[in-house]
Amino acid sequence: MNLTQHLPALQVIVPLMSAPLAVLLRHGGLAFGLVTAGAWLAFANALALWFQVDASGTISYHLGSWPPPWGIEYRIDRLSSFVLLLVSGMAAIVLLWGRASVAREIPRNVHYLYYAMFGLCLTGLLGITITGDAFNIFVFLEVSSLSTYVLIALGRDRRALAASYRYLIMGSIGATFIVIGIGFLYLTTGTLNLADMAIRLRDVQSSRPVLAALAFLTVGISLKLALFPLHQWLPNAYTYAPSAVTAFLAATATKVAVYVLIRFYFTVFGESLIFDKLPLPKIMLGLSLLAMFAASFIAIFQDNLKRLFAYSSVGQIGYITLGLSFDSVSGLTASIVHLFNHGLAKGAIFLLIGAMVLGLTKGGATPPAPSFDRLNGLAKRMPLTCLGIVVAGLSLIGVPGTVGFISKWYLILAAMEKGQFWLVGAIVLSSLLAVAYVWRFVEVAYFRTPPAQSEAHEPPLSTLIPAWLLVLATLWFGFDTSFTVGTASDAAQQLIRVLP
Amino acid sequence: MTANMFILAALVLPLVGAVGIVLTRKKANLREAVTLVTAGLLFFCVAQLLAPVLAGQRPELLLVEPLPGLPVAFRVEPLGMLFALVASGLWIINSIYSIGYMRSNREANQTRFYVCFALAIGAALAIAFAANLWTLFLFYEVLTLITYPLVAHTGTDKAKQGGRTYLGILMGTSVLFLLPAVIYIWHVSGTTDFRLGGILPAGMDKSAVAVLLALFMFGIGKAALMPFHRWLPAAMVAPTPVSALLHAVAVVKAGVFSVIKVVIYVFGLDALVGATDWLVAISGFTIVAASVVALSADNLKRRLAYSTVSQLSYIILAVAILAPLSVVGAALHIAVHAFGKITLFFAAGAIYTAAHKTEVSQLNGIGQRMPWTMGAFGIGALSMIGLPPAAGFVSKWYLVSGAVSQGAWVALAVVLLSTLLNAGYFLPILYRAFFRPLSAEAQAHPHGEAPWPIVLALTLTAAGTVALFFFPDVPLALAHQLLAAP
């Protein structure tokens, strides 16, 4: 039995197994070791899969050797391999980073549960990305969502429970809509296999159930995506969750939802004429612009640094969906590239904020919330942390030399190709909003005097090194784009051509 | 060492210097020595490129290619050579001045100051040597960001406000106008390389050319074309060595340098025929309006700031009239204005350090106390007005010749009017300094010249201003080569 043959299955199974083992062992340290090892194995697995896809094209794996469309098929093309790398990579880094943070932010007696849930969340996200079966998507979506609700509720702030509950309600509505959409698709096509659905949809494309399916799926996925105005759960969830959870979610959860949207729009519905029936591109365009402007604007006035960057995330997701709305190769390339780039940048920022709150107090005290009044003159006490946030913030603005610039470049090019020059103006104008909210942090951290009795100090190296690795990655991939842009444009071409 | 290696050395030295400054931050004298040594070495490396460029070579360097067709690449041509020589040469003198100024005024955060300085000069050199629009844009943005801590250095509320205006206008114009313009060039031409004669596709619609030119001219906010000039007076809140650097060397020259580069190497003079009338009007308006504001400005640095806005638009006007002679004048003015303005700012800083005076109305009789400083100020003023034996005469001569050759009578009138206005706001300062008696308050607080590093620096730049008048060979040769085929 050749191991490399079964890499697709192992991608999901390894993190999946680490979760119940962590629960059984009931020991925080062992749970950490197990789940982290599982995440790193998953990352190695994703790397191997990426190289495989790069060399020989789309991989089709039949789970249990049941042939599709009766069995579940794991299908890995350019886009899936890209997202798999992002999710597993971020999990690996956040888990390693999180030791110090988890020790102080989560009660010791539930550490093993935290790691178990993290393992399940990772499993769910990886599963969504790798599967080629519609209902399987829903199953893994539920796995990742339910574990996410628990993870968010583990935060020490009392409002974490309320935030988790809100996300639970909205997330369940979203998941319900998604399963209704999948149900309609099954009704009309008779299959759950995505590739098979695409072929069969050609015959039934204008029927009402299919249109309804598209509508339900769009709304459901948009809830998970936090597309404005369905983003209400995100700010609270990111703000009150434990720092490691925020970092992981910000980098992966919404990105996987984007992946699902792309998968349904371009792979399943791609060949049908469905987009002529519903004004989806225009709706996407309008909502994306709303997200870009409104969310970035709201971010400027936030008092809590985590909440500020949470709204920033909602705004940045607007850029991703804007690229989708172009329905062109450049637009889709821009979306996929920004998916990765934003994951990197936001992951870096939230890891640095998580480190920062650790450094705000001494000893084993619970880290306080990063409200702006606690950040006065912080750059003097923790220069490396603050510098990291500024550099990653430059990526959000889209300064050349950072990954954010590459995404903006492709987005603007895509708009120019469509001749939509007013859209170019909108994109650059909204980038200036990012300058405003990043510069709020700069002014407070660098130009105010720190309080005399502040205990703030540079956080431990174990938190700074992984975070700075991500920061350096945002600079590296701003100059060496062969991996990110290469994969993204290949993926976009694959999707828009919609090969069987 | 080949010429290409010298380009790399010139780009890497400021980085190495910055690291050195951080490492020696505890020992102030050693730290200052690092700055001076780095500046000296840098000028040496840049100077090595002069002979090859004058001989017609164009040394190149390719660093990395982030996106296919968009390399971060460098190519030394005459205009870039001129800018680089001015920037690296004046950094040495500015560093001497900074040492005197920062220590005498006991400024805080000196390490941050010197580090940002070194990196800013590095960014300016990268702009000077940029081989394509994308590289220029990259380092243009880097320059904005790295000079922000210098502008907001003192950390007071006023400094923060000035920093916000500075960043807001510069980032705003570059993101809103310059970036779309660069991407559009890429979109229609498939390249952003600088080529003599331009890279626009043939037969491009005249109105599209005009719009694109407008995007560039307003997008290059560092050239301070109205109405996006307010960042310049706002940046006066910075310590004077920063103002001297910003207003003579790095930032504003990067702005007008980019303007000239874009006009000659992206558009090409031929493609712009008929599309620049609005630019002549706006730059002409900027020249006159800024001079009028300078007339009534009592704060010395504010007066100098508006004088700079006005002088920068000389350069823009010179290229807008599309006359080869005036383009020579524009290139020359980069060097000439640098020396003259830095002298004026050095003098302003000397007055502040020695006498703690900032307003023109306080300067009665100060020539008695600080004759050397005010003498240098006089030379700088002569250069601004454009009178011999100051170098300003030479560039103005070329500018006027170019205007006459094109029949650009509006431009000519503007230049003559602004010469009068320049005299109107500079000569009274000299009159006050030398021919009015000291006020009673000033007589009660005697002082002499500023500390010797400051006086040395302003002597050197004043001498340079006069020397450029008598020996303009190198800048003139480079400027003449600008339009010749490479």
Side-chain angles (χ1 to χ4, degrees), chain A residues 79 128 131-138 141 177-179 181-183 185-186 191-195 197-198 201 213-214 216-218 221 256-272 274-275 280 324 495 498:
Chain A
L79 180 63
I128 298 173
T131 185
D133 181 288
F135 192 69
N136 213 207
I137 289 183
F138 173 71
L141 186 70
F177 273 42
I178 292 175
V179 81
I182 295 176
L185 281 176
Y186 183 55
T191 177
L192 284 172
N193 183 293
L194 292 176
M197 240 185 235
L201 265 179
L214 184 59
F216 273 107
L217 279 170
T218 304
I221 300 174
V256 173
V258 172
Y259 164 82
V260 176
L261 194 66
I262 295 178
R263 188 56 78 202
F264 273 108
Y265 274 12
F266 291 98
T267 306
V268 177
F269 287 103
E271 287 204 18
S272 67
I274 202 113
F275 290 111
L280 266 178
L324 285 185
L495 287 163
V498 185

Side-chain angles (χ1 to χ4, degrees), chain A residues 121-426:
Chain A
C121 187
L122 178 60
T123 308
L125 292 174
L126 290 173
I128 298 173
T129 314
I130 206 170
T131 185
D133 181 288
F135 192 69
N136 213 207
I137 289 183
F138 173 71
V139 168
F140 280 120
L141 186 70
E142 285 294 88
V143 169
S144 68
S145 302
L146 290 171
S147 49
T148 307
Y149 305 148
V150 177
L151 284 171
I152 295 176
L154 282 174
R156 276 203 200 237
D157 193 311
R158 276 191 312 190
R159 289 167 289 189
L161 193 56
S164 169
Y165 186 68
R166 185 175 213 181
Y167 186 21
L168 185 147
I169 300 291
M170 290 188 77
S172 300
I173 297 177
T176 311
F177 273 42
I178 292 175
V179 81
I180 293 177
I182 295 176
F184 278 135
L185 281 176
Y186 183 55
L187 207 61
T188 48
T189 59
T191 177
L192 284 172
N193 183 293
L194 292 176
D196 204 25
M197 240 185 235
I199 300 172
R200 298 200 188 192
L201 265 179
R202 282 184 230 146
D203 303 323
V204 289
Q205 54 203 19
S206 53
S207 69
R208 184 148 281 209
V210 173
L211 290 174
L214 184 59
F216 273 107
L217 279 170
T218 304
V219 175
I221 300 174
S222 298
L223 258 167
K224 287 283 171 185
L225 242 177
L227 180 63
F228 198 95
L230 301 171
H231 67 287
Q232 309 285 346
W233 57 269
L234 194 147
N236 277 350
Y238 281 19
T239 310
Y240 300 121
S243 304
V245 174
T246 309
F248 183 58
L249 286 183
T252 59
T254 44
K255 313 297 177 287
V256 173
V258 172
Y259 164 82
V260 176
L261 194 66
I262 295 178
R263 188 56 78 202
F264 273 108
Y265 274 12
F266 291 98
T267 306
V268 177
F269 287 103
E271 287 204 18
S272 67
L273 300 168
I274 202 113
F275 290 111
D276 301 336
K277 307 268 187 263
L278 293 177
L280 266 178
K282 287 215 175 62
I283 298 178
M284 271 280 141
L285 180 69
L287 290 177
S288 306
L289 285 174
L290 260 180
M292 280 153 55
F293 281 100
S296 301
F297 188 68
I298 299 175
I300 301 176
F301 300 102
Q302 295 308 308
D303 186 49
N304 180 312
L305 200 61
K306 275 172 99 169
R307 187 180 285 272
L308 185 146
F309 282 113
Y311 275 106
S312 158
S313 287
V314 178
Q316 295 282 323
I317 287 166
Y319 289 116
I320 301 179
T321 48
L322 182 66
L324 285 185
S325 74
F326 288 136
D327 199 20
S328 68
V329 174
S330 307
L332 198 52
T333 307
S335 288
I336 299 174
V337 153
H338 201 49
L339 192 152
F340 186 85
N341 291 342
H342 181 242
L344 268 186
K346 264 305 160 38
I349 288 185
F350 279 114
L351 282 185
L352 284 165
I353 296 182
M356 171 204 282
V357 297
L358 284 183
L360 278 177
T361 55
K362 276 199 164 33
T366 313
S371 56
F372 268 100
D373 54 1
R374 291 206 186 91
L375 304 182
N376 287 336
L378 210 56
K380 284 223 160 43
R381 301 297 171 101
M382 37 172 98
L384 282 176
T385 314
C386 292
L387 184 62
I389 296 181
V390 173
V391 174
L394 292 180
S395 181
L396 294 178
I397 297 173
V399 170
T402 63
V403 286
F405 179 75
I406 305 290
S407 320
K408 291 254 159 70
W409 178 273
Y410 275 97
L411 208 56
I412 294 179
L413 258 182
M416 281 189 184
E417 279 174 16
K418 293 255 159 183
Q420 314 243 24
F421 293 104
W422 66 273
L423 207 45
V424 173

Side-chain angles (χ1 to χ4, degrees), chain B residues 330-411:
Chain B
L332 213 54
H333 207 55
I334 288 186
V336 160
H337 177 253
F339 273 89
K341 219 15 140 344
I342 205 175
T343 309
L344 289 171
F345 272 105
F346 279 170
I351 294 172
Y352 174 71
T353 307
H356 304 291
K357 300 271 185 286
T358 56
E359 313 297 300
V360 170
S361 49
Q362 298 169 324
L363 298 181
N364 286 354
I366 201 163
Q368 300 172 29
R369 295 257 175 88
M370 309 176 71
W372 205 248
T373 303
M374 292 317 290
F377 189 95
I379 295 179
L382 280 181
S383 189
M384 294 296 125
I385 301 171
L387 292 172
F393 177 74
V394 185
S395 53
K396 207 157 229 171
W397 177 268
Y398 274 94
L399 174 49
V400 167
S401 308
V404 167
S405 76
Q406 289 286 86
W409 308 118
V410 172

Side-chain angles (χ1 to χ4, degrees), chain A residues 80-151:
Chain A
S80 341
S81 61
F82 197 45
V83 179
L84 280 177
L85 266 179
L86 175 69
V87 174
S88 55
M90 286 308 301
I93 294 185
V94 171
L95 277 168
L96 262 190
W97 172 92
R99 280 225 84 180
S101 178
V102 166
R104 286 171 65 179
E105 284 192 5
I106 300 180
R108 192 159 286 275
N109 58 332
V110 290
H111 274 188
Y112 73 99
L113 279 178
Y114 163 79
Y115 286 112
M117 288 297 124
F118 203 106
L120 280 180
C121 187
L122 178 60
T123 308
L125 292 174
L126 290 173
I128 298 173
T129 314
I130 206 170
T131 185
D133 181 288
F135 192 69
N136 213 207
I137 289 183
F138 173 71
V139 168
F140 280 120
L141 186 70
E142 285 294 88
V143 169
S144 68
S145 302
L146 290 171
S147 49
T148 307
Y149 305 148
V150 177
L151 284 171

Side-chain angles (χ1 to χ4, degrees), chain B residues 48-335:
Chain B
Q48 299 307 306
L49 293 165
L50 180 60
V53 171
L54 280 177
Q57 292 173 29
R58 300 288 177 258
E60 293 185 337
L61 178 72
L62 183 104
L63 272 190
V64 66
E65 194 155 346
L67 292 170
L70 288 168
V72 176
F74 302 96
R75 190 163 182 274
V76 184
E77 46 76 51
L79 189 66
M81 189 73 242
L82 184 61
F83 181 30
L85 277 172
V86 169
S88 52
L90 284 176
W91 186 26
I92 305 176
I93 306 181
N94 193 290
S95 300
I96 299 173
Y97 184 85
S98 303
I99 296 171
Y101 184 94
M102 298 300 272
R103 290 191 180 193
S104 309
N105 290 301
R106 300 192 209 293
E107 292 273 356
N109 292 316
Q110 290 194 26
T111 301
R112 179 176 83 192
F113 175 86
Y114 287 110
V115 166
C116 290
F117 239 87
L119 293 174
I121 295 290
L125 281 186
I127 294 177
F129 292 149
N132 53 52
L133 254 182
W134 140 245
T135 307
L136 187 122
F137 179 72
L138 166 65
F139 287 104
Y140 184 93
E141 297 293 76
V142 169
L143 185 61
T144 304
L145 290 170
I146 201 71
T147 48
Y148 170 80
L150 291 171
V151 172
H153 179 90
T154 55
T156 61
D157 280 343
K158 207 161 162 281
K160 273 197 287 194
Q161 195 51 48
R164 271 191 211 168
T165 309
Y166 181 78
L167 199 72
I169 296 185
L170 286 182
M171 277 243 108
T173 50
S174 66
V175 169
L176 281 178
F177 304 130
L178 189 54
L179 177 62
V182 172
I183 300 185
Y184 187 74
I185 292 279
W186 167 254
H187 179 58
V188 296
S189 310
T191 177
T192 62
D193 287 346
F194 288 130
R195 286 191 207 135
L196 201 58
I199 52 174
L200 289 183
M204 198 166 155
D205 184 37
K206 267 288 176 255
S207 54
V209 170
V211 168
L212 197 56
L213 185 67
L215 282 177
F216 272 109
M217 293 300 118
F218 289 120
I220 302 177
K222 296 194 172 96
L225 190 63
M226 284 190 175
F228 300 112
H229 64 287
R230 292 235 56 243
W231 63 270
L232 239 176
M236 289 298 101
V237 72
T240 304
V242 177
S243 307
L245 175 73
L246 291 185
H247 297 89
V249 184
V251 176
V252 294
K253 289 299 175 295
V256 286
F257 168 81
S258 306
V259 164
I260 304 179
K261 262 319 246 258
V262 162
V263 163
I264 296 182
Y265 292 102
V266 173
F267 284 90
L269 290 181
D270 300 322
L272 283 174
V273 172
T276 56
D277 296 330
W278 64 271
L279 188 58
V280 172
I282 296 197
S283 55
F285 176 78
T286 305
I287 294 175
V288 174
S291 296
V292 168
V293 175
L295 274 176
S296 59
D298 194 32
N299 182 289
L300 184 55
K301 281 176 80 174
R302 189 176 162 81
R303 187 172 289 205
L304 293 178
Y306 275 100
S307 162
T308 304
V309 173
S310 177
Q311 294 279 328
L312 291 174
S313 279
Y314 270 31
I315 299 181
I316 304 180
L317 180 66
V319 293
I321 58 182
L322 302 175
L325 272 176
S326 62
V327 170
V328 170
L332 213 54
H333 207 55
I334 288 186

